[in-house]
Amino acid sequence: MSGNGTTAGDDPLQTAVWRLRSRACWADAAALLPADTPATTLQRAALLVERCLYTERGWEEAEDALRTAEAQAHTDEERGAAACERGQLAYAATLHGVRDRADEARAALGRAAALIPPGAAGRALLDFRRGLLAENLARSPQAARAAYRRAHAGATAHADPLLLSFTWRHLAGLALREGELAEARHGFAESLRIREELGYLVGTAPALASLADAESEPEASRLREEARRLFRLLGGVPTWLARQLTPPAPGAATA
């Protein structure tokens, strides 16, 4: 799911949804949306799918919401967007070890690619998610980088700053693995800057932790401590960040 809900002209409902979403209150945000149009049912599903990725729970609710969105989709772009969310839910389940749904994720994102035309607003998010599969399931950094770059260009063209914060962060992560510290530091810093400007609180701790990985001391420790503070503030969300923020035990060997 993309879009930041904070641009001028947004209606009060979308502003309220964004504020709840950015503070890790996905179920509350979804409850505000009526389930009577393809757009709102898809948005509800996207919120609940995102909750699964960040919290590792709520899988059945997300499946139910997604089935409703798929049933209400009528146009190719609506069906493509629903398929994109189906792929993301299958990816999240695989990533978190709930169940291996990698084949389902690939098939769903392939369906989305056939339905969402190049240049459409939803194509950038699709490209980003295909990059996630390439990086984290197929272990193909080259394919991931190409997909992230397409997503980055699409997010720029459609003025989607939240998605840009994700593409900056993941491109920086690939750069860090290759030892390109300056490039990684720049990308992580851009991701953090955008998330702070948007007020995307639930994504700020991961951005701080990522930037810390590319910084030297004492700045790295300062960034990690700020990430821990936000992580605790949000009740331990995102769950997967706990491993990255856990300090090494005294005397423990480090790789």
Side-chain angles (χ1 to χ4, degrees):
M1 183 180 179
S2 193
N4 60 63
T6 60
T7 54
D10 275 352
D11 62 55
L13 173 60
Q14 288 300 325
T15 299
V17 167
W18 164 254
R19 287 175 177 165
L20 288 166
R21 175 194 177 193
S22 66
R23 287 159 178 77
C25 300
W26 294 279
D28 291 339
L32 294 179
L33 293 164
D36 57 359
T37 70
T40 54
T41 54
L42 180 64
Q43 190 178 5
R44 290 181 75 254
L47 286 164
L48 296 175
V49 168
E50 188 172 80
R51 180 178 68 165
C52 292
L53 183 63
Y54 277 75
T55 69
E56 302 180 55
R57 61 184 178 85
W59 303 97
E60 285 303 318
E61 294 93 332
E63 288 282 0
D64 289 344
L66 188 50
R67 282 192 289 268
T68 300
E70 288 167 337
Q72 291 213 20
H74 300 303
T75 68
D76 280 352
E77 285 201 46
E78 289 168 355
R79 285 190 287 268
C84 189
E85 293 303 329
R86 169 67 62 190
Q88 181 71 352
L89 184 61
Y91 163 77
T94 306
L95 187 72
H96 288 312
V98 176
R99 184 157 59 91
D100 185 353
R101 297 172 61 180
D103 289 344
E104 181 187 351
R106 293 187 190 95
L109 294 187
R111 264 197 324 278
L115 291 165
I116 302 173
R123 190 76 185 204
L125 180 61
L126 171 61
D127 283 333
F128 174 70
R129 289 175 170 176
R130 296 179 95 177
L132 292 176
L133 258 67
E135 180 180 3
N136 297 316
L137 301 189
R139 307 298 179 189
S140 175
Q142 296 86 355
R145 182 180 292 104
Y148 292 150
R149 284 176 175 165
R150 290 194 301 272
H152 193 84
T156 301
H158 290 280
D160 187 340
L162 183 59
L163 183 54
L164 276 174
S165 81
F166 281 93
T167 55
W168 272 122
R169 181 165 173 262
H170 282 266
L171 285 167
L174 293 176
L176 183 63
R177 290 183 198 176
E178 295 176 353
E180 300 291 342
L181 278 178
E183 183 181 343
R185 193 176 296 120
H186 173 70
F188 288 140
E190 282 297 296
S191 178
L192 176 61
R193 176 188 62 79
I194 293 169
R195 291 179 180 196
E196 288 180 335
E197 288 178 357
L198 293 176
Y200 187 54
L201 194 61
V202 73
T204 300
L208 285 162
S210 293
L211 181 57
D213 288 342
E215 288 285 4
S216 55
E217 296 295 351
E219 181 65 5
S221 290
R222 185 193 71 78
L223 289 165
R224 286 194 186 95
E225 185 52 42
E226 178 63 11
R228 288 188 194 100
R229 185 187 70 81
L230 287 175
F231 180 71
R232 290 192 296 266
L233 180 68
L234 292 173
V237 176
T239 53
W240 43 261
L241 192 59
R243 295 183 295 275
Q244 192 174 348
L245 292 177
T246 301
T254 57

